[in-house]
Coordinates of all heavy atoms in Angstrom, one line a residue:
F220 N 6.7 12.9 -17.0 CA 5.6 13.8 -16.6 C 4.3 13.1 -16.3 O 4.1 11.9 -16.8 CB 5.4 14.9 -17.7 CG 4.8 14.3 -19.0 CD1 3.5 14.2 -19.2 CD2 5.7 13.8 -20.0 CE1 2.9 13.7 -20.4 CE2 5.2 13.2 -21.2 CZ 3.8 13.2 -21.3
L221 N 3.5 13.7 -15.6 CA 2.1 13.3 -15.5 C 1.2 14.5 -15.8 O 1.3 15.6 -15.2 CB 1.8 12.9 -14.0 CG 2.5 11.7 -13.5 CD1 3.0 11.9 -12.1 CD2 1.6 10.5 -13.5
L222 N 0.5 14.4 -16.9 CA -0.3 15.5 -17.4 C -1.8 15.3 -17.0 O -2.4 14.3 -17.5 CB -0.2 15.6 -18.9 CG -1.0 16.8 -19.5 CD1 -0.3 18.1 -19.3 CD2 -1.1 16.5 -21.0
S223 N -2.3 16.1 -16.1 CA -3.7 15.8 -15.7 C -4.6 16.7 -16.6 O -4.3 17.9 -16.8 CB -3.8 16.3 -14.2 OG -5.1 16.0 -13.8
L224 N -5.6 16.1 -17.1 CA -6.5 16.8 -18.0 C -7.7 17.3 -17.3 O -8.2 16.7 -16.4 CB -6.9 15.8 -19.1 CG -5.8 15.1 -19.9 CD1 -6.5 14.2 -21.0 CD2 -4.9 16.1 -20.5
N225 N -8.0 18.5 -17.6 CA -9.2 19.2 -17.1 C -9.2 19.7 -15.7 O -9.9 20.6 -15.3 CB -10.5 18.3 -17.3 CG -10.6 17.8 -18.7 OD1 -10.3 18.5 -19.7 ND2 -10.8 16.5 -18.9
A226 N -8.5 19.0 -14.8 CA -8.4 19.4 -13.4 C -7.1 19.0 -12.8 O -6.4 18.2 -13.4 CB -9.5 18.6 -12.6
P227 N -6.7 19.7 -11.7 CA -5.4 19.3 -11.1 C -5.3 17.8 -10.8 O -6.3 17.1 -10.6 CB -5.4 20.2 -9.8 CG -6.3 21.3 -10.1 CD -7.4 20.7 -11.0
L228 N -4.0 17.4 -10.7 CA -3.8 16.0 -10.5 C -4.4 15.5 -9.2 O -4.2 16.1 -8.1 CB -2.3 15.7 -10.5 CG -1.8 14.3 -10.5 CD1 -2.0 13.6 -11.8 CD2 -0.3 14.2 -10.1
N229 N -5.1 14.3 -9.3 CA -5.6 13.7 -8.1 C -5.1 12.2 -8.1 O -4.9 11.7 -9.1 CB -7.1 13.8 -8.1 CG -7.8 13.1 -7.0 OD1 -7.8 11.8 -6.9 ND2 -8.3 13.9 -6.0
E230 N -4.9 11.7 -6.9 CA -4.4 10.3 -6.8 C -5.3 9.3 -7.4 O -4.9 8.3 -8.0 CB -4.1 10.0 -5.4 CG -3.4 8.7 -5.1 CD -2.1 8.4 -5.9 OE1 -1.4 9.4 -6.2 OE2 -1.9 7.2 -6.2
N231 N -6.6 9.5 -7.2 CA -7.6 8.4 -7.5 C -8.5 8.7 -8.6 O -9.2 7.8 -9.1 CB -8.4 8.0 -6.2 CG -7.5 7.5 -5.2 OD1 -6.7 6.6 -5.4 ND2 -7.6 8.0 -4.0
Y232 N -8.7 10.0 -8.9 CA -9.7 10.3 -9.9 C -9.1 11.2 -11.1 O -8.1 11.9 -10.9 CB -10.8 11.2 -9.3 CG -11.3 10.6 -8.0 CD1 -11.0 11.1 -6.8 CD2 -12.2 9.5 -8.1 CE1 -11.5 10.5 -5.6 CE2 -12.7 8.9 -6.9 CZ -12.3 9.4 -5.7 OH -12.8 8.9 -4.5

Side-chain angles (χ1 to χ4, degrees):
F220 66 90
L221 294 135
L222 180 75
S223 184
L224 305 180
N225 310 316
L228 189 70
N229 179 285
E230 182 57 28
N231 298 310
Y232 310 104

